[in-house]
Amino acid sequence: MTNLKINAMGLEFKNPVLSASGTYGFGQEFSEIYDVSVLGGICSKGLTLRERNGNTGIRLWETPMGLMNSIGLQNPGVECFINDELPRMKSYNTVVVANLGGHCDEDYFEGIYMLNETDVDLIELNISCPNVKSGGMAFGIKSAVAYEIVSKVRHICKKPLMVKLSPNAENIPEMAVACEAAGADGISLINTIQALAVDIKNRKAVFDNIYAGLSGPCVKPIALRMVRDAAKAVKIPVCGLGGIMSSDDVIEFIMAGATLVQVGTGNFIKPDIVPDIVRGLSEFMDREGIKSLDEIRGII
């Protein structure tokens, strides 16, 4: 029999397939479509210390084989998440991941202190946020800056810590090594790629913020390259995401070195895509005589 279980970062995942932050809310809407306990884990909507209303104007824009978004981290804030959303997420009988962002060190620290006192299983630290005290450059662009914030968070964080990397980083392998050296238990990548959409009729950018994040199948080849580069550079587990739409895509990421994966844009295109992916993964392993994903991980 095939074994889809994954032991990583001190946790047991029933399978390697997680929902990606920002594409699954907190799971409630999807729980009305299928049994979300089929997931290996659920990543929360991106959280900030305080509630955010998000960006104005158009927020989603379809592109060929992709989706652009400019949500602006709209979320209820950490305290509301803990009181209103987390109890329901824990009832889904899967690993619960809190995705936490911040615009300065203090935002991260306060959020971590609050999440420490909950039964969240894993914290995914989003270092793609602009650092307001450093002129707006994201924490995740320069390895030295990433090392500094991750090491500070690691010092106070009582939970397993997975750091989500930006594809806009200057050097992905160096960034992965810096996060590992700073004490991260795992890394996830890629986040969305900065992109531009133009409204030629009105002669302006589609989004109020000009640039937006591109995701979906069109970014998968880039994501695979970056996941492979990161997995070759570190010993900690890598969680791969970027354009996963099928079990075959999952296999590609695992062969590139991923231990876990996340499904994002696919949830918008086909809301019940995850059960299909998990089923297809098991069927592929049966068909190919693969007993454990360890047999094919990182073979590329």
Side-chain angles (χ1 to χ4, degrees):
M1 291 181 63
T2 57
N3 179 15
L4 292 181
K5 288 183 180 179
I6 301 291
N7 290 292
M9 297 175 283
L11 299 167
E12 182 176 274
F13 300 80
K14 65 185 68 176
N15 62 65
V17 185
L18 287 69
S19 64
S21 175
T23 68
Y24 210 76
F26 300 104
Q28 182 178 4
E29 293 83 2
F30 290 88
S31 70
E32 298 171 4
I33 302 172
Y34 63 88
D35 181 2
V36 299
S37 69
V38 70
L39 279 158
I42 299 177
C43 296
S44 76
K45 179 79 180 70
L47 301 169
T48 50
L49 182 59
R50 294 174 182 83
E51 179 182 4
R52 285 178 59 93
N53 291 325
N55 292 335
T56 59
I58 290 174
R59 291 189 174 194
L60 294 175
W61 187 262
E62 291 187 43
T63 68
M65 296 300 290
L67 181 68
M68 294 176 67
N69 89 83
S70 181
I71 306 300
L73 282 176
Q74 178 180 345
N75 75 96
V78 173
E79 184 176 8
C80 183
F81 163 74
I82 292 171
N83 294 332
D84 299 339
E85 303 293 348
L86 182 56
R88 186 186 303 112
M89 288 183 74
K90 290 298 294 186
S91 73
Y92 295 144
N93 188 31
T94 190
V95 172
V96 173
V97 183
N99 178 286
L100 178 67
H103 295 292
C104 62
D105 291 7
E106 291 75 17
D107 285 356
Y108 283 114
F109 301 159
E110 224 176 310
I112 291 292
Y113 281 128
M114 295 170 71
L115 291 169
N116 275 345
E117 305 308 314
T118 70
D119 51 3
V120 160
D121 299 302
L122 172 66
I123 293 176
E124 183 178 48
L125 196 72
N126 177 9
I127 59 172
S128 298
C129 298
N131 183 354
V132 294
K133 293 186 178 180
S134 298
M137 179 180 289
F139 288 95
I141 298 297
K142 294 184 177 294
S143 300
V145 177
Y147 175 86
E148 183 178 358
I149 187 63
V150 174
S151 59
K152 288 177 179 178
V153 167
R154 175 73 282 171
H155 183 69
I156 63 172
C157 183
K158 298 178 182 178
K159 306 285 185 179
L161 184 67
M162 179 168 67
V163 180
K164 190 168 187 177
L165 304 187
S166 167
N168 304 310
E170 290 181 340
N171 186 300
I172 286 293
E174 285 184 9
M175 181 64 68
V177 169
C179 290
E180 181 179 44
D185 297 296
I187 55 176
S188 59
L189 71 162
I190 61 174
N191 209 328
T192 56
I193 297 173
Q194 194 175 51
L196 171 67
V198 176
D199 179 348
I200 60 173
K201 183 176 180 181
N202 293 303
R203 304 182 184 185
K204 64 174 187 175
V206 166
F207 295 99
D208 285 358
N209 279 11
I210 309 299
Y211 299 123
L214 175 66
S215 63
C218 59
V219 309
K220 192 186 79 171
I222 298 171
L224 283 168
R225 171 179 64 83
M226 291 186 172
V227 164
R228 182 181 185 273
D229 286 349
K232 295 290 185 185
V234 297
K235 295 180 180 178
I236 55 177
V238 173
C239 182
L241 61 153
I244 293 176
M245 294 293 296
S246 69
S247 56
D248 284 357
D249 293 333
V250 172
I251 293 295
E252 289 182 37
F253 273 91
I254 291 171
M255 288 184 173
T259 296
L260 302 166
V261 299
Q262 294 178 17
V263 178
T265 301
N267 292 310
F268 294 117
I269 298 168
K270 188 178 186 296
D272 60 347
I273 194 171
V274 171
D276 288 349
I277 289 175
V278 173
R279 188 182 313 111
L281 184 57
S282 182
E283 290 172 353
F284 174 88
M285 293 174 67
D286 284 338
R287 190 165 60 248
E288 297 294 321
I290 299 169
K291 299 292 190 296
S292 168
L293 292 172
D294 291 339
E295 297 174 28
I296 58 171
R297 183 172 296 107
I299 64 173
I300 302 301

